């Protein structure tokens, strides 16, 4: 074979840093799909393994941050396993800050698996989920919020969720939390100095310390509130559409998802399955659950559907209760409303507005007594009138509306820690209020600083890291 690279394994290994070498398929694995698959190798033996398995014809130069064309070869048999590109990124100029070799192979299951097997046989170990990102974190390439943003970027289900992840990757969250932590550390330093050397230092302005702590606490509380919007953007909302048979649930679902998923018929009780529809409305991923009309029935199939409706109600982040404007608000509608679990945002929506005179929009007066409030929305699933406003209102009620300006958003782990920090600050502020000595202020303040440090990863133990990174996919 021409142009075989003559590289000295020993020399490469000697120049490499310590630790073991990991490898994994970095791209999604789907049979028959994806034209390119990447096997990623990171660690001290990455370069030697790449050199051992790759043959580059001609006078191509083996150097860092250059792409080589060639073949992956089984060193035992010299069989060409795949035609590929090799990209070498020597430490520290790589994602993990270790030496990384990427083999860009043909997509599909067989070639990439064979290449990975050869890489493992040549001395790499299969990476754990998230292990590349974990190394990037441990080697100081990313803080913990950025590492988490990597995973959030990969799993983003909407453009806005991806934008939030990008802000996290850029370090937006790290800077925000980092500066709050710095402000607390400043106060902590002043207080601790007074604990030890009160007499040697200028008098500490207690009111100024309190003001500083309150300001940080407010910002943390705002971040905790905004996390709800972030969660809606990332994870999406499950919205159950309930209503008596024939009020137009399937029609609304079709209208919102712009496709014929549910079967629309004139026969009451025909929506027997719980239909799920995934869509993105105003940047928020929604799972709409269409349910069978909940009502007493002897029909076994229909009863099954009804049981599922109860499940849908139990798992929903919000409920749209549809009623027929022409029929007005009925006792059955009121009974349905009582099934909605406490605390779940509920919107009462009058449908078939096209069938009634405009001035009648709203439940007819005779029946309106049983509606505690006027309907939250009046729509026509048939014409689409009112459906945009309904979506806006739904997102607002779920805390997901007006999230356009959301710059950063805490994930659940980060939110819990921010909440812990805010609560700890309440402890410090209580000590202040009671006029207790400085060291009483510092106890909770230190807890708050630690909690914020755990968000960015400055103060974090191995168990937490394992939990964070084990949620990643393999190869990231
Ligand atoms: P579901 O049983 O609640 O899912 O109701 P469907 O969506 O199957 O609708 C029952 C019937 O009402 C169908 O014939 C629909 O075309 C009709 N329908 C639904 N929404 C409207 C509407 O806004 N206006 C009118 N005029 N008819 C509607």
């Amino acid at each position: 074979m021409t142009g075989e690279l003559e590289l000295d394994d020993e020399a490469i290994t000697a120049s490499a840093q310590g630790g073991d070498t990991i490898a994994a398929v970095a791209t999604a694995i789907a049979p028959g799909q994806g034209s390119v698959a990447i096997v990623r190798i990171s660690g001290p033996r990455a370069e030697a393994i790449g050199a051992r398995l790759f043959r580059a014809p001609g006078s191509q130069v083996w150097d860092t941050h250059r792409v080589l064309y060639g073949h992956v070869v089984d060193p035992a048999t010299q069989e060409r396993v795949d035609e590929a590109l090799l990209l070498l990124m020597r430490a520290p100029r790589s994602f993990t800050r270790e030496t990384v070799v990427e083999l860009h192979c043909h997509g599909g299951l067989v070639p990439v698996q064979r290449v990975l097997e050869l890489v493992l046989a040549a001395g790499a170990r299969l990476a754990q989920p998230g292990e590349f990102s974990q190394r990037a974190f441990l080697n100081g390439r990313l803080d913990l919020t950025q590492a988490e943003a990597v995973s959030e970027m990969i799993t983003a289900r909407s453009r806005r969720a991806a934008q939030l992840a990008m802000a996290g990757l850029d370090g937006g969250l790290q800077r925000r939390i980092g500066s709050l932590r710095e402000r607390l550390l400043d106060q902590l330093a002043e207080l601790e100095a007074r604990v030890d050397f009160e007499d040697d230092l200028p008098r500490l302005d207690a009111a100024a310390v309190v003001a500083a702590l309150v300001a940080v606490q407010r910002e943390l509380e705002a971040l905790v509130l905004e996390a709800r919007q972030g969660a809606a953007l990332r994870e999406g909302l499950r919205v159950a559409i309930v209503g008596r048979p024939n009020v137009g649930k399937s029609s609304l679902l079709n209208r919102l998802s712009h496709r014929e998923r549910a079967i629309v018929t004139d026969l009451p009780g025909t929506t027997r399955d719980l239909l799920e529809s995934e869509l993105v409305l105003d940047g928020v991923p929604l799972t709409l659950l269409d349910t069978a009309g909940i009502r007493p029935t002897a029909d076994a199939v229909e009863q099954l559907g009804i049981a599922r409706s109860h499940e849908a109600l139990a798992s929903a982040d919000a409920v749209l209760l549809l009623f027929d404007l022409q029929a007005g608000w009925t006792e059955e509608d009121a009974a349905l409303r009582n099934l909605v679990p406490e605390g779940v945002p509920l919107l009462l929506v009058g449908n078939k507005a096209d069938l009634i005179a405009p001035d009648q929009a709203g439940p007819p007066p005779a029946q309106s007594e049983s509606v505690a409030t006027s309907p939250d929305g009046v729509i026509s699933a048939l014409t689409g009138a009112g459906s945009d406003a309904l979506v806006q209102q739904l997102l607002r009620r779920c805390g997901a509306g007006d999230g356009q300006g959301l710059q950063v958003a805490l994930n659940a782990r980060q939110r819990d820690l921010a909440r812990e920090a805010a609560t700890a600050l309440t402890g410090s502020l209580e000590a202040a209020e009671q006029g207790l000595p400085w060291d009483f202020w510092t106890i909770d303040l230190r807890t708050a600083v630690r909690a914020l440090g755990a968000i960015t990863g400055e103060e974090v133990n191995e168990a937490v890291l394992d939990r964070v990174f084990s949620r990643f996919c393999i190869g990231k």
Side-chain angles (χ1 to χ4, degrees):
M1 184 173 295
T2 54
E4 197 168 298
L5 289 158
E6 292 297 333
L7 281 169
D8 179 355
D9 273 22
E10 297 305 316
I12 293 167
T13 312
S15 70
Q17 62 279 50
D20 61 352
T21 298
I22 53 172
V25 180
T27 40
I29 303 174
Q33 289 175 16
S35 56
V36 174
I38 299 176
V39 174
R40 187 192 243 175
I41 315 164
S42 178
R45 286 193 51 78
E47 188 167 350
I49 293 170
R52 186 166 158 77
L53 301 180
F54 196 75
R55 304 283 179 273
S59 53
Q60 300 179 67
V61 180
W62 177 276
D63 201 356
T64 190
H65 292 83
R66 287 184 77 113
V67 178
L68 297 187
Y69 162 80
H71 292 91
V72 176
V73 171
D74 182 343
T77 61
Q78 296 302 316
E79 179 201 351
R80 285 179 170 192
V81 172
D82 197 6
E83 185 186 29
L85 298 176
L86 180 144
L87 172 57
L88 165 67
M89 290 167 277
R90 283 202 188 115
R93 290 175 56 211
S94 74
F95 177 63
T96 56
R97 287 205 170 154
E98 301 173 331
T99 293
V100 168
V101 167
E102 287 183 1
L103 292 165
H104 296 225
C105 314
H106 283 105
L109 291 183
V110 179
V112 74
Q113 283 304 330
R114 277 212 65 194
V115 171
L116 180 62
E117 278 164 22
L118 290 177
V119 167
L120 297 180
R125 156 175 80 69
L126 189 63
Q128 303 285 327
E131 201 171 357
F132 291 94
S133 303
Q134 186 163 7
R135 288 186 175 199
F137 166 73
L138 292 173
N139 293 329
R141 164 83 167 59
L142 306 170
D143 88 311
L144 203 51
T145 64
Q146 288 170 312
E148 286 178 297
V150 170
S151 170
E152 285 158 14
M153 182 62 108
I154 293 168
T155 52
R157 284 170 59 199
S158 71
R159 192 183 289 206
R160 276 170 61 197
Q163 282 169 343
L164 276 184
M166 193 58 228
L169 271 179
D170 278 344
L173 198 52
Q174 176 200 26
R175 282 191 294 279
R176 185 94 178 258
I177 297 292
S179 91
L180 292 174
R181 184 166 174 271
E182 285 297 317
R183 281 156 64 185
L184 293 185
L185 277 172
D186 286 347
Q187 300 306 321
L188 187 61
E190 291 288 343
L191 287 167
E192 283 184 336
R194 295 315 184 284
V195 172
D196 296 330
F197 313 104
E198 175 93 71
D199 299 337
D200 309 330
L201 292 166
R203 230 177 64 78
L204 189 58
D205 180 354
V209 177
V210 166
L213 300 188
V214 166
V216 172
Q217 192 183 37
R218 292 231 172 94
E219 284 194 43
L220 286 172
E221 282 163 356
L223 278 170
V224 168
L225 271 182
E226 285 169 8
R228 199 164 158 226
Q229 290 177 27
L233 290 177
R234 289 198 186 101
E235 292 141 35
L237 298 169
R238 287 174 71 81
V239 180
I241 305 178
V242 296
R244 293 186 299 120
N246 258 357
V247 292
K249 298 181 294 296
S250 314
S251 307
L252 176 63
L253 186 123
N254 287 343
R255 159 81 34 203
L256 292 178
S257 56
H258 303 294
R259 55 197 150 124
E260 299 285 315
R261 276 287 302 270
I263 306 153
V264 182
T265 70
D266 280 326
L267 295 174
T270 43
T271 309
R272 283 178 175 147
D273 272 322
L274 186 66
L275 288 170
E276 292 204 3
S277 213
E278 301 273 343
L279 57 150
V280 176
L281 292 178
D282 284 2
V284 180
L286 292 187
T287 304
L288 291 182
L289 313 168
D290 182 16
T291 59
I294 305 176
R295 60 192 187 123
T297 173
D299 183 329
V301 178
E302 205 179 323
Q303 267 179 349
L304 191 71
I306 289 168
R308 291 205 199 151
S309 304
H310 286 291
E311 272 169 39
L313 280 180
S315 74
D317 297 308
V319 175
L320 293 181
L321 197 166
L322 235 57
F323 67 96
D324 187 329
L325 285 169
Q326 215 179 20
W329 181 258
T330 68
E331 277 183 19
E332 267 184 285
D333 297 319
L336 274 177
R337 185 174 52 178
N338 292 335
L339 293 178
V340 178
E342 195 77 21
V344 177
L346 166 69
L347 272 77
L348 302 180
V349 184
N351 186 32
K352 309 196 184 181
D354 56 293
L355 293 182
I356 59 165
D359 58 345
Q360 273 186 287
Q367 284 129 340
S368 64
E369 282 157 24
S370 46
V371 187
T373 52
S374 55
D376 299 291
V378 168
I379 62 162
S380 166
L382 195 70
T383 66
S387 64
D388 284 351
L390 178 65
V391 168
Q392 301 285 334
Q393 204 180 355
L394 172 71
L395 298 184
R396 262 202 312 280
R397 286 284 286 277
C398 295
D402 308 324
Q404 300 286 358
L406 206 59
Q407 298 300 312
V408 294
L410 305 176
N411 63 27
R413 182 191 78 86
Q414 298 159 348
R415 182 205 55 209
D416 290 348
L417 287 164
R419 204 179 267 148
E420 187 184 319
T423 308
L425 288 179
T426 303
S428 291
L429 291 168
E430 276 168 10
E433 206 168 296
Q434 292 166 21
L436 295 177
W438 300 131
D439 47 350
F440 284 87
W441 301 37
T442 60
I443 301 167
D444 291 311
L445 187 49
R446 238 179 269 128
T447 305
V449 167
R450 242 196 324 271
L452 296 187
I455 294 181
T456 55
E458 277 154 298
E459 297 191 47
V460 78
N461 60 33
E462 215 165 295
V464 171
L465 286 186
D466 283 348
R467 216 172 41 243
V468 168
F469 288 105
S470 65
R471 283 201 290 264
F472 281 49
C473 51
I474 289 191
K476 238 314 156 194

